[in-house]
Amino acid sequence: MQSTRQQYLVFTGSVLLYLLIHEVVYGLLGFTFFWDSFFVELFLTGFTFWVVGSIQQQLRPALEQKYDWSENPVRRLMAQSLSFTLVSGLFITTIRLVFTYAESVFLGNIFVSLQSLIIDFCILVAVIEIRVLLEFGQYLLQKWNSARIEMATFQKEKAQFSLELLRTQINPHFLFNNLNTLSSLIYIDQDKAAAFLRKLSGVYRSILEYRNKEVITLAEELTFFVDYKELLEIRFENMLFFKVSIAEDMQHRNIIPLTLQMLVENAIKHNVLSQNRPLHITIETNGDYLLVENNFQPKEVLEYSSGLGLKMIENRFAYLSKLPVVIDQTTAHFLVKIPLIDSQ
């Protein structure tokens, strides 16, 4: 809804624009300018657009309900243009016809009066259409500004996501655990230690390669995840088990890089892992979603968590997919459903 100030500005602008076009057109047609007729036209124009504004205020709620700008701007533009022009134009033409007839009675020149009526009607329609186009332009400007703000927010969250990812992986705790595992393996099984080191190197290489990409295919994500999964299976032997079941026809779909890594790291961080209580993580596709599910056995003392991981995943997928990220937690399981993005 327009404010009182906006309505006043629209009214004043419409009257001035109408009078400007009116005097230019009549001047080009050879009509002589008279101040007395100008003031009569000013009064009539003011009254005309006051009535036009009142009619449009009555029509606007119905248009808002049936054709919202945000849902179908083109249809709203056409509907508003036609309805404002027809209803306002016919109503105002009737009023002006009365004035024209009265003028013709006094001047005795019905042809000139009808000619003026047609010209005035065309000018009125032109001004109404300009007002509708300006309102449409205002809507487009608001959408552009909203899109600009959303893009800035998205870029900020993308940077936060990358920083969170690196913080999760390159923090001293993570590095210490993996180096400690590597150190133990060197004395126990040097071949296994070498394999572990290669996997660890591959994980960091993939992080640096993928972290700045907008999306990658699910196949690429799984290629990285194989190294990461094997690294975790060596580190948490007999305490962590994976079941991966990805449909072949889904692997061309896109996903935000390293989403699986973030979700698995989140599960490890918040759940107990032991030989008596192993953590089981299932990764599978179902329809348009990638499902990551684990048995829920929360730690009594939780590690520090910024709480940004899942939230940023939700926000980033909201920009890239019409489907939402779904989080389902019960006393038995914790499930995250990630929408798969169509290839462009």
Side-chain angles (χ1 to χ4, degrees):
M1 297 296 290
Q2 293 180 323
S3 65
T4 303
R5 182 173 180 272
Q6 286 178 319
Q7 292 175 5
Y8 174 77
L9 290 175
V10 169
F11 169 77
T12 304
S14 299
V15 171
L16 294 177
L17 180 61
Y18 178 90
L19 289 175
L20 175 63
I21 298 175
H22 182 275
E23 296 306 322
V24 169
V25 171
Y26 275 79
L28 293 174
L29 292 175
F31 286 82
T32 305
F33 176 82
F34 294 103
W35 280 106
D36 54 348
S37 62
F38 174 79
F39 285 118
V40 171
E41 188 64 35
L42 176 63
F43 167 78
L44 188 56
T45 302
F47 176 73
T48 296
F49 280 102
W50 176 77
V51 176
V52 167
S54 300
I55 293 173
Q56 291 178 357
Q57 285 298 109
Q58 296 299 317
L59 290 174
R60 185 169 277 108
L63 288 170
E64 290 285 353
Q65 185 175 6
K66 192 166 185 179
Y67 303 112
D68 188 80
W69 279 117
S70 59
E71 293 179 359
N72 198 325
V74 176
R75 185 171 295 179
R76 169 61 185 273
L77 175 64
M78 295 175 63
Q80 183 161 321
S81 178
L82 289 174
S83 61
F84 281 13
T85 300
L86 291 175
V87 179
S88 301
L90 291 174
F91 188 82
I92 299 306
T93 299
T94 303
I95 296 176
R96 287 199 162 234
L97 186 60
V98 175
F99 279 91
T100 301
Y101 178 77
E103 183 183 10
S104 68
V105 170
F106 289 105
L107 297 179
N109 191 347
I110 187 67
F111 175 75
V112 174
S113 299
L114 289 177
Q115 182 187 40
S116 300
L117 177 64
I118 294 171
I119 294 172
D120 292 347
F121 176 78
C122 291
I123 298 173
L124 175 67
V125 169
V127 174
I128 291 175
E129 291 302 316
I130 290 172
R131 285 174 54 167
V132 173
L133 289 174
L134 286 175
E135 186 173 340
F136 182 58
Q138 183 183 21
Y139 161 75
L140 292 178
L141 183 61
Q142 290 174 346
K143 291 292 290 183
W144 173 81
N145 191 51
S146 298
R148 184 175 59 84
I149 294 173
E150 287 181 358
M151 181 57 67
T153 303
F154 175 72
Q155 293 297 335
K156 180 180 178 182
E157 289 180 347
K158 180 180 176 181
Q160 287 178 332
F161 184 88
S162 297
L163 289 173
E164 173 70 10
L165 181 61
L166 289 176
R167 187 202 66 77
T168 301
Q169 288 301 329
I170 311 179
N171 63 55
H173 182 67
F174 176 85
L175 191 58
F176 171 78
N177 284 338
N178 283 285
L179 290 178
N180 190 46
T181 302
L182 179 62
S183 176
S184 300
L185 288 174
I186 290 174
Y187 293 101
I188 300 172
D189 188 335
Q190 293 185 3
D191 291 338
K192 199 171 184 180
F196 183 87
L197 183 58
R198 284 195 300 271
K199 299 298 181 185
L200 183 59
S201 174
V203 166
Y204 279 104
R205 188 183 304 112
S206 296
I207 289 172
L208 295 175
E209 179 182 353
Y210 292 144
R211 66 189 178 91
N212 289 323
K213 291 186 177 181
E214 197 89 317
V215 293
I216 59 175
T217 64
L218 183 55
E220 290 176 309
E221 176 80 352
L222 291 172
T223 299
F224 156 74
F225 185 71
V226 167
D227 284 341
Y228 180 68
K229 178 176 74 70
E230 292 178 1
L231 183 69
L232 293 175
E233 287 173 337
I234 295 173
R235 177 178 157 192
F236 298 104
E237 188 175 6
N238 298 322
M239 293 186 291
L240 177 64
F241 297 94
F242 289 95
K243 179 183 178 182
V244 180
S245 178
I246 304 297
E248 287 290 335
D249 59 347
M250 290 289 105
Q251 295 195 22
H252 71 282
R253 304 282 290 273
N254 290 330
I255 192 172
I256 293 174
L258 309 175
T259 299
L260 280 177
Q261 176 268 329
M262 290 284 287
L263 294 175
V264 170
E265 190 67 26
N266 185 71
I268 293 172
K269 181 184 295 185
H270 294 95
N271 289 276
V272 173
L273 283 85
S274 68
Q275 292 187 357
N276 294 328
R277 300 179 65 189
L279 185 67
H280 295 270
I281 299 178
T282 300
I283 301 170
E284 60 185 357
T285 50
N286 187 349
D288 292 322
Y289 278 96
L290 176 68
L291 280 57
V292 180
E293 183 178 10
N294 62 269
N295 51 319
F296 189 56
Q297 40 194 39
K299 295 178 179 178
E300 293 183 4
V301 179
L302 295 178
E303 297 180 21
Y304 167 76
S305 174
S306 65
L308 294 176
L310 283 176
K311 187 63 179 177
M312 282 192 291
I313 287 176
E314 287 183 282
N315 291 343
R316 288 193 68 190
F317 273 97
Y319 285 106
L320 299 173
S321 173
K322 294 180 180 180
L323 298 174
V325 172
V326 178
I327 299 175
D328 180 23
Q329 178 180 331
T330 68
T331 56
H333 76 269
F334 186 86
L335 171 66
V336 181
K337 297 173 64 176
I338 300 293
L340 294 172
I341 304 164
D342 290 323
S343 302
Q344 298 298 324

